[in-house]
Amino acid sequence: MSGGPVHPADPTAAHWHDGTRCVHAGLPEPTPGQPFLPGPVFAAPYHLDPWQGPAATPNGYGRPDNPTRRLLEAAIGELEGGECRVFASGQAAITGLLLAVLRPGDTVLLPADGYFPVRAFATATLAGMGVRVGFVPTAGPYPSFDGVRLVLLETPANPGLDVADIAVLAGAAHAAGALVAVDNTTATPLGQRPLDLGADVVVASGTKALTGHSDLLLGYVAARSAELLETVTGWRTTTGAVPGAFDAWLAHRSLATLDLRLARQSANAAAVVELLADRDDVTGLRWPGRPDDPAYPVASRQLRRMPGVLSFDLGDADRVARFVAASRLVAAATSFGGLHTSADRRAQWGDDTAPGFVRLSCGVEDTVDLVADLAAALDTAGTAGPLS
Ligand SMILES: Cc1ncc(COP(=O)(O)O)c(C=O)c1O
């Protein structure tokens, strides 16, 4: 079983559209009698050639080597336009990149409004190792990159959904000798191609829309530089944060429908935004696909499709709880990008957001059902403040 790209010499593959690319991503050459996507290979050790040892086969031991994982990496790599290494979670991938690249005395710039465990990790661990850590809001303004080793952008940022201009910032960072990493979790490789826009490396949680079924954790790093990939691969092999074979297989199976899922999620988000924009009992509505959103000018150039995630403010925690409880279709849950619409009041996790701030992740329900359900739930929830 090979982990190489599908039909690498096939010139038509380069022109395939998103749905075709997702369905075929990472699949081995068709072989009569074999499945489309080979089943998961469960192995810690593999049989070795008694004379040549591990040199004779790509599979020696399960931590560095697994054929199911390699097929998933080929698939994600095709979609991102680079080589990919998968990790046990998004956090494993992001912290792995940071720890593999940064050394004491280096400076790293991180998003001030991005996924908060990355900031917590930087403050607790990187700063303690002698790495200087700076935080910059995703929408800017950005400081000079002189003396910076690595800039991590998270765009669109979770949960505020601001957007950073990857091409402009990569140009400025490279001129100063800094590396640029982009967290592509919210957009997914179909929504945004950071490596094409000049980023050196993509990091992401595959737990969200990429796999989209709310049943596994996954992360990945993708890059074009062989040196960077070698560093990341070495880091993963020696620290061991690999996903299991079954999760890798489930993720690959789920990837085939990414185009379809994103299309419905994005259409649902657009319809929900239209509903919420018309209500004077909802404030702070943010969605990068909305023409009067502050992120729209960059988002409309940079994103290939708009995410299914939006945010708004319902005033207080009580009203958020009443809204979710009144809905038949909105699950109270963290995470986002799944098949099921879910709402998360981010302040309950310690995010620096207002008490009534909600991140809503639109699922793949029928748009008409979702909009009707949300409208009714908001009506039932009443206005902010406890019901008397
Ligand atoms: C933007 C972003 N990056 C990284 C992560 C971490 O991913 P995981 O939960 O798979 O570790 C998350 C999780 O929500 C996220 O939203």
Side-chain angles (χ1 to χ4, degrees), residues 316-321 324 332-334 343-351 353-359:
D316 64 22
D318 247 38
R319 184 161 177 241
V320 175
V324 177
T334 194
D344 194 15
R345 194 178 71 78
R346 289 303 302 168
Q348 71 188 337
W349 300 96
D351 258 8
T353 48
F357 175 96
V358 177
R359 183 185 64 207

XYZ file of all heavy atoms in Angstrom, residues 316-321 324 332-334 343-351 353-359:
195
model
N -27.245 38.036 27.669
C -26.772 37.408 28.905
C -26.882 35.883 28.829
O -27.475 35.325 27.901
C -27.502 37.972 30.135
C -28.992 37.679 30.135
O -29.420 36.720 29.453
O -29.739 38.396 30.821
N -26.284 35.232 29.819
C -26.190 33.776 29.816
C -27.563 33.118 29.879
O -27.813 32.084 29.244
C -25.330 33.317 30.994
N -28.472 33.726 30.635
C -29.811 33.174 30.793
C -30.555 33.085 29.460
O -31.212 32.085 29.159
C -30.605 34.099 31.725
C -30.917 33.399 33.024
O -30.033 32.653 33.489
O -32.046 33.592 33.525
N -30.431 34.152 28.711
C -31.159 34.177 27.435
C -30.554 33.177 26.441
O -31.289 32.526 25.684
C -31.129 35.594 26.842
C -31.935 35.706 25.569
C -32.278 37.150 25.242
N -32.989 37.247 23.979
C -32.560 37.917 22.915
N -31.422 38.600 22.969
N -33.269 37.930 21.817
N -29.235 33.020 26.500
C -28.600 32.012 25.641
C -29.138 30.625 26.011
O -29.510 29.828 25.146
C -27.054 32.045 25.775
C -26.425 30.919 24.967
C -26.496 33.405 25.346
N -29.217 30.348 27.315
C -29.704 29.036 27.771
C -31.154 28.824 27.334
O -31.526 27.729 26.873
C -29.579 28.933 29.284
N -31.214 28.078 23.512
C -30.777 26.728 23.130
C -31.801 25.690 23.601
O -32.125 24.740 22.877
C -29.370 26.424 23.693
C -28.953 25.002 23.351
C -28.344 27.412 23.140
N -26.497 22.288 22.403
C -25.538 23.009 23.237
C -24.261 22.182 23.229
O -24.227 21.076 23.765
C -26.064 23.154 24.656
N -23.238 22.701 22.584
C -21.981 21.946 22.489
C -20.869 22.883 22.073
O -21.102 23.847 21.350
C -22.098 20.820 21.452
N -19.661 22.550 22.532
C -18.522 23.284 22.015
C -18.079 22.586 20.726
O -18.757 21.708 20.235
C -17.408 23.390 23.088
O -16.469 24.370 22.665
C -16.723 22.060 23.318
N -24.508 25.438 19.299
C -24.261 26.786 19.818
C -23.400 26.666 21.058
O -23.586 25.764 21.883
C -25.577 27.473 20.169
N -22.459 27.587 21.184
C -21.558 27.555 22.331
C -21.442 28.958 22.906
O -21.059 29.898 22.199
C -20.181 27.058 21.883
C -19.298 26.667 23.062
O -19.832 26.507 24.175
O -18.081 26.514 22.857
N -21.783 29.082 24.191
C -21.582 30.365 24.881
C -20.146 30.355 25.364
O -19.797 29.684 26.316
C -22.576 30.480 26.048
C -22.676 31.888 26.619
C -23.699 31.952 27.711
N -23.270 31.261 28.919
C -22.403 31.751 29.808
N -21.871 32.942 29.640
N -22.068 31.044 30.883
N -19.304 31.096 24.646
C -17.861 30.931 24.830
C -17.369 31.361 26.207
O -16.351 30.863 26.689
C -17.101 31.692 23.732
C -17.209 31.063 22.370
C -16.747 29.638 22.336
N -15.366 29.480 22.778
C -14.790 28.325 23.061
N -15.487 27.197 22.983
N -13.535 28.271 23.450
N -18.079 32.305 26.863
C -17.594 32.769 28.167
C -17.570 31.620 29.181
O -16.783 31.641 30.128
C -18.457 33.922 28.663
N -18.410 30.591 28.966
C -18.437 29.485 29.940
C -17.139 28.674 29.925
O -16.878 27.903 30.842
C -19.643 28.579 29.702
C -19.565 27.732 28.447
C -20.859 26.990 28.151
O -21.668 26.746 29.031
N -21.079 26.651 26.891
N -16.327 28.844 28.854
C -15.051 28.137 28.768
C -13.884 29.045 29.141
O -12.722 28.643 29.010
C -14.824 27.613 27.344
C -15.878 26.665 26.904
C -16.985 26.960 26.161
C -15.961 25.267 27.192
N -17.747 25.843 25.948
C -17.135 24.778 26.574
C -15.154 24.377 27.902
C -17.521 23.447 26.656
C -15.544 23.044 27.964
C -16.712 22.596 27.364
N -14.169 30.281 29.509
C -13.087 31.190 29.901
C -12.629 32.113 28.789
O -11.679 32.866 28.962
N -13.271 32.049 27.607
C -12.921 32.986 26.532
C -13.231 34.407 26.982
O -14.182 34.624 27.735
C -13.754 32.695 25.266
C -12.956 31.946 24.218
O -11.840 31.519 24.518
O -13.476 31.792 23.097
N -14.971 36.822 26.162
C -16.119 37.268 25.363
C -17.240 37.694 26.312
O -17.249 37.303 27.482
C -16.644 36.130 24.458
O -16.774 34.941 25.248
C -15.699 35.847 23.302
N -18.186 38.481 25.779
C -19.314 38.943 26.593
C -20.141 37.739 27.066
O -20.144 36.691 26.419
C -20.172 39.891 25.771
N -20.857 37.892 28.211
C -21.598 36.742 28.770
C -22.640 36.161 27.805
O -22.910 34.961 27.840
C -22.293 37.330 30.010
C -21.647 38.640 30.275
C -20.938 39.091 29.042
N -23.201 36.995 26.934
C -24.231 36.491 26.011
C -23.711 36.178 24.625
O -24.492 35.913 23.699
N -22.372 36.176 24.463
C -21.764 35.907 23.149
C -21.942 34.434 22.779
O -21.582 33.542 23.543
C -20.276 36.270 23.198
C -19.501 35.921 21.948
C -19.276 36.879 20.967
C -18.998 34.645 21.762
C -18.554 36.561 19.817
C -18.280 34.318 20.614
C -18.054 35.279 19.646
N -22.464 34.195 21.586
C -22.717 32.822 21.113
C -21.956 32.582 19.818
O -22.010 33.404 18.903
C -24.219 32.623 20.806
C -24.481 31.224 20.251
C -25.058 32.865 22.042
N -21.246 31.456 19.761
C -20.703 31.008 18.471
C -21.656 29.939 17.953
O -21.884 28.929 18.632
C -19.293 30.431 18.653
C -18.660 30.015 17.313
C -17.324 29.333 17.513
N -17.494 28.093 18.237
C -16.576 27.515 19.003
N -15.409 28.071 19.163
N -16.819 26.375 19.636
